[in-house]
Amino acid sequence: MRLSHYFLPTLKENPGEAQIVSHRLMLRTGMIFQASSGIYAWLPMGRRVLRKIEQIVREEQDRAGAQEILMPTIQSADLWRESGRYDAYGEEMLRIADRHEREMLYSPTAEELVTDIARKHIKSYRDVPKMMYQIQWKFRDEIRPRFGVMRGREFLMKDCYSFDLDYEGALVSYRKMLEAYIKTFSRMGLTAIPVKADSGAIGGDLSQEFQVLAATGESLIFYDRALDEIVRQGGVVDVDRLMSLYAAEEGLHDPHICKVPQDQLKTARGIEVGHIFYFATKYSDPFKASVVGKNGESITLHMGSYGIGVSRLVGALIEANHDENGIIWPEAVAPFTVGLLNLKPGDGKCDALCEDIYHKLLTQKVEVLYDDRNERAGAKFANMDLIGLPWQIRVGARTLETGKIEIKYRRTGEIQELSLESALNYLKERVGA
Ligand code: ATP
Ligand code: MG
């Protein structure tokens, strides 16, 4: 993509309304546009990042055996009356009437609809286990939308639902999702700690929230240091060991009954990017979602639901990856991998060399944003640092003299001078292109 052609409406000044760094940087880099309170349009660069995140989430859901579906955002109030949530949900639910005065709503989550699908189509014990997920917009009329996409009113969520015969089966599904979540966040270069969640009155003890550590996080969390180590390890996740830590975590909020040794205990602020939850027959009971068992008996389905805040993740990723100059995208979610800077635009030789590099990168399937604009070098450097692409290739007067180009790694600021050929080889190795 040529920057002269790209729609990247960056701002010079820090927008006054943004209180936290991710919101500021998303507005400054022209990733999003506020349409109304808590509702955003995603502009080209923001859309690219959102897509990358979606894709990682999708791949790990598929790998866990979940199947992608797509449910409507607008749903009938009648369905929500069956679970009792039409009244219980309160002011956060956006209620709409159609032209026939039928009550509709914009879905804040989708347990009701997916349970309706299950009761009509999952009939026999042979039809389970099943896991189904969607990546779809949700609406919650949050009382105080804030921090940009972190707490929006309209936001993109991955929501998955599992159906099993009994607790044991549901536990297997739950553990698959737990593992998928650890992989998902670690592929994005994030450390997300699975802390025990308040599961409220229903559902027993199987509920965990994934928290990305950040000073601006809205949740105060307590956890065993060992959890942190497990999620940072990467590779194969030891789910047994991880689950065994929660017994110890019990009572962490009360230092008098805390069983975790003080030197193992960590306290931090976190951004909730995911939530997994087993809730037994909470919805299948009122919906009569049951199957016929081996001996002809009726078995009520056991369900779990598993959410990821896909659009919130964009903010969380920036909170965890930035410096005073701007964003530092982890490679897996970067909008482009390489920024190519022409520092002598208009110079025939420099232009030709840049064109050559641009086309070579495209041929190697490296995603490249080529700054071909007629701008000062200083402005180009600042802009590239601001938008935070992992690699910068700088071509200018020096290149024409020495034949060497500069490669800068945004995360460390390290700059190497290499011949064109070794630079391309180097990138090929580092980005696996
Ligand atoms: P929170 O406690 O932050 O309000 P929640 O417990 O209401 O979240 P869930 O119902 O578990 O959220 O939804 C699944 C995921 O969707 C959350 O883990 C979070 O990442 C994301 N999410 C929830 N509400 C919002 C919102 N208003 N804006 C952006 N993402 C959200
Ligand atoms: Mg939650």
Side-chain angles (χ1 to χ4, degrees):
M1 178 60 66
R2 288 167 200 275
L3 194 46
S4 60
H5 173 79
Y6 200 45
F7 182 53
L8 187 72
T10 51
L11 305 175
K12 291 242 158 31
E13 304 295 323
N14 268 327
E17 76 266 32
Q19 298 166 26
I20 61 171
V21 68
S22 56
H23 189 196
R24 257 195 313 273
L25 286 171
M26 288 182 77
L27 290 170
R28 278 203 58 196
T29 58
M31 292 177 71
I32 50 170
F33 172 90
Q34 184 173 340
S36 51
S37 168
I39 303 180
Y40 293 88
W42 293 77
L43 305 187
M45 202 173 72
R47 184 70 188 102
R48 282 181 84 97
V49 175
L50 201 57
R51 250 186 211 287
K52 296 252 162 120
I53 295 172
E54 274 177 48
Q55 192 50 29
I56 292 174
V57 169
R58 181 174 283 119
E59 284 169 19
E60 295 305 328
Q61 290 293 296
D62 291 345
R63 198 199 305 276
Q67 302 174 44
E68 186 167 6
I69 60 175
L70 188 58
M71 293 181 275
T73 54
I74 307 289
Q75 301 179 2
S76 154
D78 289 341
L79 196 59
W80 286 69
R81 286 206 174 87
E82 284 191 59
S83 68
R85 283 211 289 186
Y86 191 64
D87 292 327
Y89 221 97
E91 305 255 70
E92 267 193 26
M93 181 181 275
L94 181 64
R95 296 156 206 262
I96 311 161
D98 71 10
R99 63 162 71 189
H100 306 292
E101 306 272 306
R102 274 189 293 252
E103 292 170 287
M104 313 291 284
L105 57 94
Y106 196 118
S107 161
T109 174
E111 281 81 6
E112 281 75 1
L113 187 51
V114 83
T115 310
D116 190 32
I117 295 172
R119 74 174 157 190
K120 286 177 184 142
H121 293 293
I122 300 182
K123 298 281 192 188
S124 153
Y125 70 95
R126 289 193 206 87
D127 299 334
V128 290
K130 282 279 176 300
M131 292 200 278
M132 288 183 272
Y133 75 98
Q134 65 171 349
I135 299 176
Q136 175 66 295
W137 295 91
K138 304 289 184 297
F139 195 96
R140 295 181 185 175
D141 204 352
E142 299 273 356
I143 186 161
R144 258 185 301 144
R146 60 187 176 279
F147 306 151
V149 300
M150 292 274 217
R151 184 165 299 281
R153 294 200 295 164
E154 190 185 38
F155 59 97
L156 191 58
M157 193 206 282
K158 184 283 298 180
D159 42 324
C160 178
Y161 305 89
S162 63
F163 300 91
D164 285 277
L165 283 187
D166 48 25
Y167 174 78
E168 285 69 34
L171 183 59
V172 173
S173 299
Y174 183 92
R175 288 169 58 118
K176 281 188 185 157
M177 274 298 140
L178 171 65
E179 195 174 351
Y181 273 44
I182 293 173
K183 282 194 197 142
T184 301
F185 299 126
S186 108
R187 277 185 63 186
M188 292 174 196
L190 274 181
T191 304
I193 315 272
V195 302
K196 204 174 147 109
D198 269 344
S199 41
I202 33 96
D205 55 356
L206 276 182
S207 178
Q208 284 156 288
E209 288 170 357
F210 284 76
Q211 300 277 355
V212 170
L213 305 182
T216 48
E218 291 187 275
S219 332
L220 182 63
I221 57 169
F222 303 89
Y223 59 95
D224 188 329
R225 187 183 296 273
L227 274 177
D228 196 332
E229 285 155 20
I230 292 178
V231 293
R232 276 180 210 272
Q233 265 162 16
V236 184
V237 186
D238 188 344
V239 176
D240 283 328
R241 180 160 140 62
L242 196 147
M243 291 299 279
S244 76
L245 291 171
Y246 291 92
E249 258 203 31
E250 204 75 66
L252 274 187
H253 299 268
D254 182 348
H256 299 293
I257 54 164
C258 176
K259 297 189 196 78
V260 179
Q262 279 301 313
D263 59 342
Q264 275 290 111
L265 179 64
K266 282 192 157 189
T267 306
R269 297 210 71 86
I271 301 165
E272 184 193 317
V273 291
H275 189 179
I276 58 178
F277 192 15
Y278 163 68
F279 46 74
T281 57
K282 183 184 178 196
Y283 300 95
S284 40
D285 262 334
F287 276 74
K288 300 201 169 45
S290 55
V291 295
V292 177
K294 256 193 190 102
N295 305 312
E297 75 279 29
S298 168
I299 304 169
T300 305
L301 289 169
H302 282 241
M303 292 174 59
S305 81
Y306 314 88
I308 291 185
V310 175
S311 50
R312 177 180 286 182
L313 268 168
V314 182
L317 276 157
I318 297 175
E319 290 293 325
N321 297 280
H322 69 272
D323 63 13
E324 64 283 4
N325 297 323
I327 304 172
I328 307 172
W329 288 114
E331 276 160 57
V333 296
F336 298 90
T337 312
V338 175
L340 172 62
L341 289 82
N342 183 344
L343 303 178
K344 260 193 127 185
D347 176 293
K349 278 191 181 147
C350 202
D351 290 350
L353 187 53
C354 284
E355 287 294 327
D356 181 43
I357 296 171
Y358 181 55
H359 287 287
K360 285 196 166 111
L361 287 171
L362 290 179
T363 312
Q364 287 186 5
K365 301 252 184 306
V366 175
E367 291 174 297
V368 51
L369 182 64
Y370 172 25
D371 191 347
D372 57 340
R373 296 168 310 158
N374 194 13
E375 281 277 351
R376 290 178 303 110
K380 290 193 173 183
F381 291 152
N383 184 60
M384 255 327 152
D385 280 353
L386 177 68
I387 66 177
L389 308 183
W391 298 93
Q392 297 175 14
I393 294 182
R394 299 162 161 189
V395 182
R398 268 177 68 79
T399 317
L400 300 178
E401 275 166 34
T402 62
K404 299 233 163 116
I405 60 177
E406 283 183 355
I407 289 202
K408 174 174 165 179
Y409 188 48
R410 173 71 178 90
R411 187 165 290 277
T412 58
E414 183 199 356
I415 296 175
Q416 300 186 60
E417 272 199 279
L418 297 171
S419 71
L420 176 56
E421 201 192 325
S422 13
L424 291 176
N425 282 335
Y426 178 77
L427 268 184
K428 205 174 185 172
E429 247 168 54
R430 289 294 301 255
V431 308

